[in-house]
């Protein structure tokens, strides 16, 4: 969650004007940052809040986010019915707990957990919490294997590409784990096996492999990373587990690339996370995390809650959480089935490939990815295009509401500025063609009107996009 700071009321206009048409009480104003003395009628409160929210962008035109922005009315109805159920009250809402159990089982078979392995998992608020839990399990396991092997006495470290999502940086900072980033370089925009293995030692708690990269939608080669770690174990004895961050791909690869081995088919993969609210097609926030076997999840991380007179093991950072998203995840599984998920994601991929193909033909752009792994691709301006930047284009696209982020790559490639398009369910071929028309128009305008460099504070703001 973003952190907010108390506002200095003396320096801001601290009253919100209420449209007089809505006012039923004497006061036509309420304090902006303090609780008003009196309330207002529900319709008035609703209208007041809605009026303020019209300034938010149109979620359907948001091509920056991976998170679901459209669900069908039946799913919305189900979510409204379940929003008051608290996931943690397993005793009061045993059927919601049962739906969660079914979802975990469905995912364990989608991720090819070996039969009889007792793969264990749970829902979370999203992938960030799921990654935090996955990382904690790696750290606890490293701590317990230290005395047995007599090695690993220094600071624990985690090996990953510098393209990881910010949740891994958080995990490392909060748990004082040294992040060992493999830098992105031109031609290698994500983690590869040799570079990962080269950074591992006796204090490595694990390697994070991403399916797929937030930066450009590409899948990291989990099989290749695993083979490099097998060689490392044979040569130096370090047995390093892999956590797969499948925030997006965990719900895409089983349907679009069923033969690609990235999951529990690879013995070194100890745990996997995914966001139900990305290509799981549920509104935010639901995520999932799963461990190959119960012993991949150290028992002293597990708490027990009441459940039908007995105890149910739980592992979570928070306590109360609405049951709506889990019910909606189960709804999607029964509503779509394997073929339905495949059709939805295939349509997204077709749209992504159409968009990237047309963008490549426009002339000034160079594709970094095409959208063949996730239906997500990144592109940049050719080096000889100097009159304008991807930031100028991104800003111009906002004129009609398109939100297409522009950002620079992390350390070692900060000179490379790209745009990224995430195609999600509901972004049709028609919308894609409208976007292409607008993009062509803006390119033409910018080619005739070279842009000047904006002042440094605007440049800093432009580059503040967070993945
Ligand atoms: C690879 C990856 N990991 C983790 C996350 C964090 O996911 P969430 O927003 O579900 O917390 C993201 C979000 O984009 C992601 O792309």
């Amino acid at each position: 969650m973003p952190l907010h700071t108390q506002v200095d009321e003396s320096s801001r206009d601290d009253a919100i004007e209420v449209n007089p048409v809505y006012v039923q009480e004497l006061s036509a104003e309420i304090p902006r940052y303090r609780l008003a003395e009196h309330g207002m009628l529900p319709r008035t409160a609703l209208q007041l809040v809605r009026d303020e929210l019209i300034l938010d962008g149109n979620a359907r035109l948001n091509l920056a986010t991976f998170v679901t922005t459209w669900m069908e009315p039946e799913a919305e109805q189900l979510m409204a019915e379940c929003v008051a159920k608290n996931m943690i009250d397993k005793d009061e809402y045993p059927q919601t707990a049962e739906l969660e159990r079914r979802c975990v089982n469905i995912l364990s078979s989608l991720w090819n957990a070996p039969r009889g392995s007792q793969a264990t998992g749970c829902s979370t608020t999203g992938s960030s919490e799921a990654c935090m839990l996955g990382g904690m399990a790696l750290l606890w396991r490293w701590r317990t294997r230290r005395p047995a092997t007599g090695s690993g006495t220094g600071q624990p470290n985690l090996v990953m590409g510098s393209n990881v999502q910010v949740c891994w940086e958080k995990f490392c900072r909060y748990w004082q784990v040294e992040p060992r980033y493999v830098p992105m370089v031109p031609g290698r925009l994500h983690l590869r096996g040799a570079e990962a293995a080269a950074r591992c030692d006796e204090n490595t708690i694990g390697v994070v492999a991403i399916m797929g990269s937030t930066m450009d939608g590409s899948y990291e080669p989990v099989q290749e990373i695993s083979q490099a770690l097998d060689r490392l174990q044979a040569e130096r004895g370090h047995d390093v587990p892999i956590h797969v961050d499948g925030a997006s791909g965990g719900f895409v690869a089983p349907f679009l690339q069923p033969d690609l081995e990235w999951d529990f088919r690879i013995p070194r993969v100890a745990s996997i996370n995914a966001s139900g609210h990305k290509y799981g097609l549920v509104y935010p926030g639901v995520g999932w995390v799963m461990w190959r076997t119960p012993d991949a999840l150290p028992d002293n991380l597990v708490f027990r809650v009441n459940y039908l007179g007995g105890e149910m093991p739980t592992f979570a950072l928070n306590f109360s959480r609405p049951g709506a998203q889990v019910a909606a995840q189960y709804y999607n599984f029964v509503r779509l089935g394997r073929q339905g998920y495949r059709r939805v994601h295939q349509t997204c991929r077709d749209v992504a490939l159409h968009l990237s193909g047309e963008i490549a033909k426009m002339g000034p752009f160079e594709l970094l990815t095409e959208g063949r792994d996730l239906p997500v691709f990144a592109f940049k301006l050719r080096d000889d295009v100097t009159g304008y930047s991807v930031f100028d284009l991104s800003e111009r696209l906002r004129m009609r509401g398109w939100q297409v982020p522009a950002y620079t790559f992390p350390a070692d490639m900060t000179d490379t500025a790209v745009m990224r398009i995430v195609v999600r369910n509901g972004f049709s071929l028609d919308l894609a063609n409208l976007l292409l028309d607008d993009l062509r128009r803006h390119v033409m305008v910018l080619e005739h009107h070279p842009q000047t460099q904006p002042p440094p504070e605007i440049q800093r703001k432009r580059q503040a996009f967070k993945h």
Side-chain angles (χ1 to χ4, degrees):
M1 286 290 113
L3 290 171
H4 300 284
T5 312
Q6 188 185 35
V7 168
D8 175 5
E9 289 183 42
S10 63
S11 68
R12 292 280 306 251
D13 167 16
D14 76 341
I16 301 179
E17 193 193 23
V18 179
N19 185 324
V21 173
Y22 307 154
V23 175
Q24 305 287 323
E25 296 188 23
L26 282 182
S27 167
E29 268 188 7
I30 53 163
R32 193 184 295 270
Y33 299 115
R34 272 175 295 114
L35 190 63
E37 199 50 42
H38 302 288
M40 57 180 79
L41 293 173
R43 267 189 66 87
T44 316
L46 176 66
Q47 199 60 48
L48 175 82
V49 179
R50 271 196 183 146
D51 281 359
E52 180 130 17
L53 291 177
I54 57 173
L55 281 174
D56 278 350
N58 179 335
R60 292 283 296 279
L61 299 183
N62 182 350
L63 302 179
T65 184
F66 288 77
V67 175
T68 301
T69 43
W70 181 83
M71 289 187 79
E72 56 196 352
E74 290 79 0
E76 292 189 343
Q77 188 186 336
L78 179 67
M79 289 186 79
E81 286 165 14
C82 297
V83 78
K85 298 187 185 191
N86 190 348
M87 272 312 296
I88 198 71
D89 290 338
K90 312 279 183 205
D91 213 24
E92 277 170 56
Y93 307 116
Q95 286 322 113
T96 308
E98 169 60 19
L99 298 192
E100 185 187 31
R101 187 203 312 273
R102 290 184 204 166
C103 289
V104 167
N105 274 276
I106 290 169
L107 284 171
S108 80
S109 80
L110 284 177
W111 295 343
N112 294 294
R115 261 183 202 288
S117 65
Q118 291 182 291
T120 303
C122 59
S123 67
T124 60
T125 50
S127 276
S128 298
E129 186 189 5
C131 292
M132 196 66 78
L133 301 183
M136 285 165 70
L138 293 177
L139 179 60
W140 260 244
R141 282 177 67 196
W142 171 82
R143 282 181 186 152
T144 47
R145 73 175 173 262
R146 267 189 315 176
T149 59
S151 63
T153 49
Q155 187 192 7
N157 66 71
L158 183 66
V159 173
M160 54 203 155
S162 63
N163 51 314
V164 286
Q165 211 262 354
V166 67
C167 66
W168 289 106
E169 199 182 324
K170 271 189 201 172
F171 165 77
C172 288
R173 192 172 318 162
Y174 293 169
W175 292 101
Q176 296 180 323
V177 169
E178 178 202 348
R180 289 201 178 158
Y181 295 117
V182 176
M184 294 166 78
V185 292
R188 199 195 67 225
L189 299 181
H190 58 218
L191 190 65
R192 301 295 303 263
E195 287 75 16
R199 280 163 182 79
C200 292
D201 59 22
E202 70 277 17
N203 292 318
T204 303
I205 65 170
V207 170
V208 176
I210 317 169
M211 293 279 296
S213 173
T214 324
M215 298 282 164
D216 63 5
S218 62
Y219 290 159
E220 292 188 334
V222 186
Q223 180 76 274
E224 177 194 296
I225 294 168
S226 173
Q227 286 164 353
L229 294 175
D230 289 346
R231 284 193 293 278
L232 176 83
Q233 184 173 5
E235 286 161 17
R236 300 192 23 221
H238 309 316
D239 183 7
V240 180
I242 295 176
H243 173 92
V244 178
D245 178 353
S248 299
F251 275 96
V252 174
F255 306 108
L256 291 190
Q257 297 94 2
D259 297 329
L260 178 71
E261 297 203 358
W262 62 275
D263 51 18
F264 291 125
R265 280 169 286 185
I266 299 176
R268 198 170 281 283
V269 171
S271 45
I272 299 175
N273 72 274
S275 300
H277 58 218
K278 293 190 175 106
Y279 288 99
L281 307 176
V282 180
Y283 284 142
V286 60
W288 301 93
V289 58
M290 177 111 45
W291 290 268
R292 156 188 293 280
T293 52
D295 54 296
L297 171 57
D299 198 49
N300 56 355
L301 285 173
V302 175
F303 283 77
R304 277 152 179 96
V305 299
N306 272 343
Y307 181 60
L308 300 176
E311 281 187 329
M312 181 182 249
T314 66
F315 184 25
L317 294 183
N318 55 334
F319 193 69
S320 301
R321 188 154 64 81
Q325 285 81 356
V326 168
Q329 183 76 76
Y330 186 67
Y331 168 88
N332 276 348
F333 283 147
V334 294
R335 160 84 174 95
L336 294 170
R338 201 182 273 271
Q339 286 308 325
Y341 264 99
R342 200 193 62 76
R343 255 197 330 271
V344 168
H345 296 339
Q346 182 64 51
T347 304
C348 290
R349 184 161 64 174
D350 291 345
V351 172
L353 290 173
H354 171 69
L355 271 171
S356 65
E358 290 301 311
I359 287 172
K361 280 190 224 154
M362 278 183 205
F365 301 112
E366 204 177 288
L367 295 181
L368 299 173
T369 42
E370 297 176 327
R372 285 192 190 280
D373 293 345
L374 297 180
V376 172
F377 63 97
F379 53 104
K380 66 191 254 313
L381 283 167
R382 281 198 335 255
D383 292 342
D384 57 332
V385 177
T386 51
Y388 59 98
S389 68
V390 286
F391 299 101
D392 296 316
L393 263 174
S394 172
E395 280 169 15
R396 288 190 68 89
L397 283 169
R398 276 195 177 249
M399 288 176 180
R400 278 241 284 180
W402 304 113
Q403 296 168 55
V404 182
Y407 52 90
T408 49
F409 276 157
D412 294 320
M413 275 191 76
T414 49
D415 287 347
T416 306
V418 302
M419 293 178 95
R420 184 192 67 197
I421 289 182
V422 177
V423 178
R424 297 184 311 281
N425 189 22
F427 192 73
S428 62
L429 203 59
D430 284 349
L431 276 172
N433 283 329
L434 289 171
L435 172 67
L436 286 169
D437 287 347
D438 279 1
L439 194 57
R440 285 190 194 98
R441 206 159 39 82
H442 292 309
V443 165
M444 201 170 67
V445 173
L446 287 167
E447 276 173 359
H448 286 90
H449 301 282
Q451 303 292 294
T452 50
Q453 279 280 348
E457 65 272 20
I458 302 283
Q459 285 195 41
R460 269 198 302 280
K461 226 180 191 174
R462 282 174 155 189
Q463 294 177 11
F465 177 75
K466 283 278 172 278
H467 298 268

